[in-house]
Amino acid sequence: LEVLKALVAEGEGLESGTQAVLSGLNEDGIQQSSIRGLLSSFIEVPSEFIPAIEASLGAHLQTILVRDQETAEQAINILAKGRMGRASIIPENFVAISSDRQMMTLPDGVDAWALDKIKSTENVRPLLEQLLDQTLIVRDLQTALQLRNELPGHSFATLDGAFISADGIMRGGAGEADEAGSLLARLNEIKLLESHTAALNDRLGEK
C-alpha cells in the first residue's frame, strides 16, 4: 500500500513537467497547498471501464487542478524558464458551472455513456462533462465503427481501450507496460487496500 501511494505521490509514469508541479515548486514561490492534484485523483471508475475511460480522457487525466489563475501562470512560467517539461493545468475558477444536462436514451448496441461510469467530486464534474460530452462506451472497435455512421458527432471508447473521436481520429493498440502504468487502476488499488486495511483495523479493535 505504501509503495503504491509513493508511486502516485512521486508522479510515476507522468510527464516530467507534471511531476515537477506535483512534487512542489515551493522554492520558486508556489505553495504546495495551491496545487490541488491530478484530475485522475478526483475520480473513481469501476475496474471494467478503466480502459475505456482512460482512452476517452487520454492526456487530460494528467491535468493538474490548482487554486487560481495566478498559480497556473506562475507554474507554467517556472517550467518554461527551467526547461523542466510541460504540464496541463486548470485553475479552479476556470472550471465551468455544472450544466445539469440530460442524457439522451442510450442507443442500441451501446454499453454506457462514459460520464455515467465516473464517480467524481463536485469540483471537477463540470470539467468531466465537457471532456466526455457525447462520448459512448461500446463493446469493441467493430461496434464503434458500425455505430459511428448511425451516430455522427459522437465519440466512442471500447472496453479494451480503443477510441474513435467525433472527428474520426482512431487511437488504440497496447504496450507491455499499459496495465502496470494505468493511473486509474493504481488509484483503485490504493482505495481497495485502504478499505481492507480499515476493515482489518476495525476487527482488531473489537478484540
Side-chain angles (χ1 to χ4, degrees):
L1 175 59
E2 296 306 320
V3 172
L4 283 173
K5 284 184 174 181
L7 288 174
V8 171
E10 293 169 4
E12 178 71 21
L14 304 180
E15 297 290 339
S16 58
T18 304
Q19 290 182 13
V21 176
L22 289 176
S23 63
L25 299 172
N26 293 22
E27 295 180 2
D28 298 287
I30 296 181
Q31 297 298 317
Q32 190 66 35
S33 59
S34 299
I35 310 298
R36 306 307 194 205
L38 290 174
L39 174 60
S40 53
S41 68
F42 293 97
I43 69 178
E44 189 173 345
V45 179
S47 57
E48 65 268 29
F49 291 103
I50 283 178
I53 296 302
E54 289 189 328
S56 300
L57 291 174
H60 292 302
L61 284 168
Q62 293 193 28
T63 297
I64 302 170
L65 188 70
V66 299
R67 182 179 59 192
D68 50 33
Q69 176 181 331
E70 290 72 22
T71 301
E73 182 180 11
Q74 189 177 4
I76 288 175
N77 286 336
I78 291 170
L79 292 177
K81 184 178 179 180
R83 303 186 67 83
M84 301 164 67
R86 303 174 67 86
S88 296
I89 303 173
I90 182 168
E92 285 182 323
N93 61 305
F94 278 22
V95 178
I97 297 174
S98 183
S99 61
D100 276 337
R101 68 185 67 188
Q102 187 69 36
M103 297 279 192
M104 73 179 207
T105 304
L106 204 63
D108 290 338
V110 173
D111 286 47
W113 288 100
L115 191 61
D116 282 345
K117 294 304 174 183
I118 296 183
K119 182 179 179 181
S120 71
T121 56
E122 288 301 318
N123 61 329
V124 300
R125 194 67 183 180
L127 177 59
L128 292 170
E129 290 175 355
Q130 293 178 0
L131 295 176
L132 296 174
D133 185 39
Q134 302 300 311
T135 300
L136 296 162
I137 296 176
V138 297
R139 182 176 63 257
D140 51 35
L141 188 57
Q142 182 179 5
T143 303
L145 290 168
Q146 291 172 347
L147 289 175
R148 184 174 181 272
N149 294 324
E150 302 172 18
L151 299 167
H154 288 72
S155 298
F156 299 87
T158 70
L159 292 174
D160 62 356
F163 185 76
I164 306 177
S165 72
D167 300 318
I169 298 173
M170 298 173 65
R171 186 169 66 246
E176 293 182 1
D178 280 2
E179 187 173 345
S182 170
L183 186 57
L184 292 181
R186 195 177 292 168
L187 290 169
N188 270 10
E189 190 172 354
I190 288 173
K191 290 171 184 174
L192 180 62
L193 289 172
E194 286 179 336
S195 177
H196 287 170
T197 301
L200 179 60
N201 288 337
D202 286 343
R203 286 198 297 271
L204 291 173
E206 293 173 357
K207 293 181 179 180

